[in-house]
Amino acid sequence: MKPYIVEMENICKSFGEVQVLRGITLRLQEREKVVIIGPSGSGKSTILRCLNCLEPIQQGVIKFAGQEVTEKYDLCSLRTQIGMVFQRFNLFPHKTALENVMEAPLVVKKEKRAAARELATALLEKVGLADNCDRYPRELSGGQQQRVAIARALAMQPQIMLFDEPTSALDPELVGEVLEVMKELALAGMTMVVVTHEMDFARQVADRVLFMDQGIIVEEGTPRDIFESPQQERTQSFLRRIRH
């Protein structure tokens, strides 16, 4: 069996007196696509934020490429290897699409401007925005802005991409264009963890689907396992509800 690129062991996370994650264990192999589903408030997004060390954990162990992530770990290095796309696009409003994608390679990796521009141009072409390089966020649709955000995350050439409900802030007619870019990344072999309410996407792309509720992983399996023959009553009731 291939070694795990990410390991989360018995992760517990609380905000004040509210326990959001209750002993989460998640292991991810290179090129694997894991989709996390579940009701709002179940802890899905918190898993991603803990994995990327945007939130400290109270208990448990996180390992990246076999090395435990502790206070002494180089978090800047970690975040260059784990790209993250959020619900909100968080683009710099005063920078063009091209400048937004160039920013991290220039500032974090200290790349030369010509190399950063070449990479950013290629990535914008990859997400279908080659003709929008010089436009500012306000001149782009929500779907286009999210695709710029994906290109920006890819500009660090990460080993893993995390997607935190990347289509939830979009108008319904714009969702498809973002999901299509994500599907292309998956087909190209990108290791991905995706939190989403898009069940068709989960069926088509995931190697594994995790169903979460109240801070625990209730059930996990292949898309067929989860969507066609879920074993847990809580999973069954959730899927019945979203189908109506």
mmCIF file of all heavy atoms in Angstrom, residues 206-230:
data_model
loop_
_atom_site.group_PDB
_atom_site.id
_atom_site.type_symbol
_atom_site.label_atom_id
_atom_site.label_comp_id
_atom_site.label_asym_id
_atom_site.label_seq_id
_atom_site.Cartn_x
_atom_site.Cartn_y
_atom_site.Cartn_z
ATOM 1 N N ALA A 206 -15.321 11.322 -6.560
ATOM 2 C CA ALA A 206 -14.715 10.819 -5.326
ATOM 3 C C ALA A 206 -14.231 9.379 -5.434
ATOM 4 O O ALA A 206 -14.889 8.532 -6.050
ATOM 5 C CB ALA A 206 -15.702 10.932 -4.168
ATOM 6 N N ASP A 207 -13.088 9.111 -4.830
ATOM 7 C CA ASP A 207 -12.685 7.739 -4.537
ATOM 8 C C ASP A 207 -13.362 7.277 -3.253
ATOM 9 O O ASP A 207 -13.751 6.119 -3.133
ATOM 10 C CB ASP A 207 -11.164 7.660 -4.368
ATOM 11 C CG ASP A 207 -10.421 8.023 -5.639
ATOM 12 O OD1 ASP A 207 -10.730 7.439 -6.692
ATOM 13 O OD2 ASP A 207 -9.541 8.906 -5.573
ATOM 14 N N ARG A 208 -13.478 8.214 -2.303
ATOM 15 C CA ARG A 208 -14.151 7.937 -1.038
ATOM 16 C C ARG A 208 -15.057 9.101 -0.685
ATOM 17 O O ARG A 208 -14.714 10.267 -0.922
ATOM 18 C CB ARG A 208 -13.134 7.782 0.099
ATOM 19 C CG ARG A 208 -12.591 6.392 0.296
ATOM 20 C CD ARG A 208 -11.812 6.308 1.597
ATOM 21 N NE ARG A 208 -10.631 7.146 1.591
ATOM 22 C CZ ARG A 208 -10.111 7.706 2.676
ATOM 23 N NH1 ARG A 208 -10.700 7.555 3.854
ATOM 24 N NH2 ARG A 208 -9.008 8.433 2.600
ATOM 25 N N VAL A 209 -16.188 8.784 -0.099
ATOM 26 C CA VAL A 209 -17.105 9.790 0.421
ATOM 27 C C VAL A 209 -17.210 9.589 1.931
ATOM 28 O O VAL A 209 -17.403 8.466 2.398
ATOM 29 C CB VAL A 209 -18.500 9.683 -0.230
ATOM 30 C CG1 VAL A 209 -19.462 10.699 0.398
ATOM 31 C CG2 VAL A 209 -18.409 9.904 -1.735
ATOM 32 N N LEU A 210 -17.067 10.690 2.673
ATOM 33 C CA LEU A 210 -17.234 10.667 4.123
ATOM 34 C C LEU A 210 -18.508 11.419 4.468
ATOM 35 O O LEU A 210 -18.705 12.553 4.006
ATOM 36 C CB LEU A 210 -16.049 11.350 4.817
ATOM 37 C CG LEU A 210 -14.776 10.552 5.076
ATOM 38 C CD1 LEU A 210 -14.211 9.967 3.788
ATOM 39 C CD2 LEU A 210 -13.728 11.425 5.758
ATOM 40 N N PHE A 211 -19.372 10.796 5.260
ATOM 41 C CA PHE A 211 -20.555 11.502 5.770
ATOM 42 C C PHE A 211 -20.306 11.869 7.216
ATOM 43 O O PHE A 211 -20.017 11.009 8.054
ATOM 44 C CB PHE A 211 -21.810 10.645 5.664
ATOM 45 C CG PHE A 211 -22.992 11.260 6.370
ATOM 46 C CD1 PHE A 211 -23.581 12.414 5.868
ATOM 47 C CD2 PHE A 211 -23.487 10.714 7.549
ATOM 48 C CE1 PHE A 211 -24.648 13.011 6.531
ATOM 49 C CE2 PHE A 211 -24.553 11.296 8.216
ATOM 50 C CZ PHE A 211 -25.135 12.448 7.696
ATOM 51 N N MET A 212 -20.419 13.171 7.519
ATOM 52 C CA MET A 212 -20.183 13.682 8.871
ATOM 53 C C MET A 212 -21.458 14.204 9.501
ATOM 54 O O MET A 212 -22.334 14.744 8.820
ATOM 55 C CB MET A 212 -19.159 14.822 8.850
ATOM 56 C CG MET A 212 -17.731 14.397 8.683
ATOM 57 S SD MET A 212 -16.622 15.787 9.059
ATOM 58 C CE MET A 212 -16.899 15.984 10.836
ATOM 59 N N ASP A 213 -21.530 14.067 10.806
ATOM 60 C CA ASP A 213 -22.610 14.683 11.572
ATOM 61 C C ASP A 213 -22.139 14.859 13.001
ATOM 62 O O ASP A 213 -21.496 13.962 13.576
ATOM 63 C CB ASP A 213 -23.867 13.809 11.535
ATOM 64 C CG ASP A 213 -25.085 14.525 12.110
ATOM 65 O OD1 ASP A 213 -25.157 15.774 11.975
ATOM 66 O OD2 ASP A 213 -25.952 13.867 12.698
ATOM 67 N N GLN A 214 -22.403 16.035 13.563
ATOM 68 C CA GLN A 214 -22.097 16.334 14.961
ATOM 69 C C GLN A 214 -20.649 16.024 15.326
ATOM 70 O O GLN A 214 -20.360 15.479 16.394
ATOM 71 C CB GLN A 214 -23.068 15.600 15.884
ATOM 72 C CG GLN A 214 -24.509 16.026 15.677
ATOM 73 C CD GLN A 214 -25.476 15.371 16.650
ATOM 74 O OE1 GLN A 214 -25.087 14.596 17.517
ATOM 75 N NE2 GLN A 214 -26.742 15.694 16.509
ATOM 76 N N GLY A 215 -19.744 16.361 14.423
ATOM 77 C CA GLY A 215 -18.328 16.284 14.738
ATOM 78 C C GLY A 215 -17.676 14.932 14.600
ATOM 79 O O GLY A 215 -16.515 14.761 14.986
ATOM 80 N N ILE A 216 -18.398 13.949 14.053
ATOM 81 C CA ILE A 216 -17.801 12.636 13.847
ATOM 82 C C ILE A 216 -18.029 12.176 12.409
ATOM 83 O O ILE A 216 -18.946 12.661 11.737
ATOM 84 C CB ILE A 216 -18.353 11.567 14.824
ATOM 85 C CG1 ILE A 216 -19.835 11.306 14.556
ATOM 86 C CG2 ILE A 216 -18.113 11.973 16.271
ATOM 87 C CD1 ILE A 216 -20.387 10.120 15.314
ATOM 88 N N ILE A 217 -17.178 11.250 11.954
ATOM 89 C CA ILE A 217 -17.405 10.603 10.666
ATOM 90 C C ILE A 217 -18.342 9.434 10.926
ATOM 91 O O ILE A 217 -17.956 8.428 11.515
ATOM 92 C CB ILE A 217 -16.086 10.130 10.032
ATOM 93 C CG1 ILE A 217 -15.185 11.341 9.742
ATOM 94 C CG2 ILE A 217 -16.359 9.357 8.747
ATOM 95 C CD1 ILE A 217 -13.790 10.971 9.276
ATOM 96 N N VAL A 218 -19.583 9.592 10.497
ATOM 97 C CA VAL A 218 -20.613 8.582 10.747
ATOM 98 C C VAL A 218 -20.397 7.363 9.868
ATOM 99 O O VAL A 218 -20.567 6.218 10.297
ATOM 100 C CB VAL A 218 -22.020 9.171 10.518
ATOM 101 C CG1 VAL A 218 -23.097 8.106 10.672
ATOM 102 C CG2 VAL A 218 -22.267 10.337 11.469
ATOM 103 N N GLU A 219 -19.990 7.619 8.608
ATOM 104 C CA GLU A 219 -19.868 6.531 7.641
ATOM 105 C C GLU A 219 -18.961 6.975 6.506
ATOM 106 O O GLU A 219 -18.932 8.149 6.140
ATOM 107 C CB GLU A 219 -21.257 6.172 7.102
ATOM 108 C CG GLU A 219 -21.308 4.947 6.234
ATOM 109 C CD GLU A 219 -22.728 4.470 5.968
ATOM 110 O OE1 GLU A 219 -23.693 5.090 6.488
ATOM 111 O OE2 GLU A 219 -22.880 3.466 5.253
ATOM 112 N N GLU A 220 -18.205 6.040 5.958
ATOM 113 C CA GLU A 220 -17.394 6.345 4.786
ATOM 114 C C GLU A 220 -17.335 5.135 3.873
ATOM 115 O O GLU A 220 -17.492 3.992 4.305
ATOM 116 C CB GLU A 220 -15.988 6.788 5.177
ATOM 117 C CG GLU A 220 -15.118 5.752 5.809
ATOM 118 C CD GLU A 220 -13.713 6.287 6.071
ATOM 119 O OE1 GLU A 220 -12.947 6.451 5.091
ATOM 120 O OE2 GLU A 220 -13.393 6.543 7.243
ATOM 121 N N GLY A 221 -17.125 5.418 2.587
ATOM 122 C CA GLY A 221 -17.055 4.337 1.613
ATOM 123 C C GLY A 221 -16.954 4.903 0.223
ATOM 124 O O GLY A 221 -16.780 6.114 0.027
ATOM 125 N N THR A 222 -17.077 4.058 -0.762
ATOM 126 C CA THR A 222 -17.094 4.513 -2.149
ATOM 127 C C THR A 222 -18.392 5.288 -2.391
ATOM 128 O O THR A 222 -19.348 5.171 -1.611
ATOM 129 C CB THR A 222 -17.035 3.327 -3.118
ATOM 130 O OG1 THR A 222 -18.248 2.566 -2.973
ATOM 131 C CG2 THR A 222 -15.828 2.437 -2.837
ATOM 132 N N PRO A 223 -18.443 6.073 -3.468
ATOM 133 C CA PRO A 223 -19.704 6.740 -3.783
ATOM 134 C C PRO A 223 -20.877 5.771 -3.865
ATOM 135 O O PRO A 223 -21.979 6.076 -3.393
ATOM 136 C CB PRO A 223 -19.420 7.416 -5.124
ATOM 137 C CG PRO A 223 -17.947 7.679 -5.098
ATOM 138 C CD PRO A 223 -17.359 6.507 -4.383
ATOM 139 N N ARG A 224 -20.647 4.593 -4.456
ATOM 140 C CA ARG A 224 -21.733 3.605 -4.547
ATOM 141 C C ARG A 224 -22.163 3.145 -3.151
ATOM 142 O O ARG A 224 -23.362 3.022 -2.876
ATOM 143 C CB ARG A 224 -21.282 2.412 -5.391
ATOM 144 C CG ARG A 224 -22.323 1.304 -5.467
ATOM 145 C CD ARG A 224 -21.921 0.209 -6.425
ATOM 146 N NE ARG A 224 -21.981 0.661 -7.807
ATOM 147 C CZ ARG A 224 -21.764 -0.124 -8.852
ATOM 148 N NH1 ARG A 224 -21.447 -1.402 -8.668
ATOM 149 N NH2 ARG A 224 -21.854 0.367 -10.082
ATOM 150 N N ASP A 225 -21.183 2.908 -2.268
ATOM 151 C CA ASP A 225 -21.508 2.499 -0.892
ATOM 152 C C ASP A 225 -22.417 3.526 -0.218
ATOM 153 O O ASP A 225 -23.441 3.176 0.382
ATOM 154 C CB ASP A 225 -20.237 2.359 -0.048
ATOM 155 C CG ASP A 225 -19.358 1.200 -0.479
ATOM 156 O OD1 ASP A 225 -19.888 0.252 -1.087
ATOM 157 O OD2 ASP A 225 -18.143 1.260 -0.204
ATOM 158 N N ILE A 226 -22.013 4.780 -0.296
ATOM 159 C CA ILE A 226 -22.705 5.829 0.457
ATOM 160 C C ILE A 226 -24.043 6.194 -0.171
ATOM 161 O O ILE A 226 -25.049 6.342 0.532
ATOM 162 C CB ILE A 226 -21.806 7.079 0.585
ATOM 163 C CG1 ILE A 226 -20.521 6.742 1.358
ATOM 164 C CG2 ILE A 226 -22.565 8.215 1.263
ATOM 165 C CD1 ILE A 226 -20.745 6.195 2.760
ATOM 166 N N PHE A 227 -24.082 6.350 -1.479
ATOM 167 C CA PHE A 227 -25.297 6.855 -2.116
ATOM 168 C C PHE A 227 -26.320 5.767 -2.460
ATOM 169 O O PHE A 227 -27.510 6.048 -2.542
ATOM 170 C CB PHE A 227 -24.938 7.654 -3.375
ATOM 171 C CG PHE A 227 -24.204 8.930 -3.086
ATOM 172 C CD1 PHE A 227 -22.882 9.090 -3.472
ATOM 173 C CD2 PHE A 227 -24.813 9.966 -2.398
ATOM 174 C CE1 PHE A 227 -22.189 10.256 -3.199
ATOM 175 C CE2 PHE A 227 -24.135 11.139 -2.113
ATOM 176 C CZ PHE A 227 -22.823 11.288 -2.509
ATOM 177 N N GLU A 228 -25.856 4.544 -2.639
ATOM 178 C CA GLU A 228 -26.784 3.483 -3.030
ATOM 179 C C GLU A 228 -27.125 2.528 -1.892
ATOM 180 O O GLU A 228 -28.228 1.978 -1.867
ATOM 181 C CB GLU A 228 -26.214 2.705 -4.221
ATOM 182 C CG GLU A 228 -26.073 3.555 -5.478
ATOM 183 C CD GLU A 228 -25.577 2.747 -6.672
ATOM 184 O OE1 GLU A 228 -25.644 1.500 -6.614
ATOM 185 O OE2 GLU A 228 -25.121 3.377 -7.646
ATOM 186 N N SER A 229 -26.189 2.329 -0.962
ATOM 187 C CA SER A 229 -26.491 1.398 0.138
ATOM 188 C C SER A 229 -25.864 1.849 1.456
ATOM 189 O O SER A 229 -25.053 1.121 2.039
ATOM 190 C CB SER A 229 -26.016 -0.009 -0.213
ATOM 191 O OG SER A 229 -24.638 0.004 -0.551
ATOM 192 N N PRO A 230 -26.211 3.064 1.916
ATOM 193 C CA PRO A 230 -25.665 3.522 3.202
ATOM 194 C C PRO A 230 -26.119 2.610 4.337
ATOM 195 O O PRO A 230 -27.255 2.152 4.363
ATOM 196 C CB PRO A 230 -26.243 4.938 3.338
ATOM 197 C CG PRO A 230 -27.482 4.932 2.505
ATOM 198 C CD PRO A 230 -27.182 4.021 1.351
#
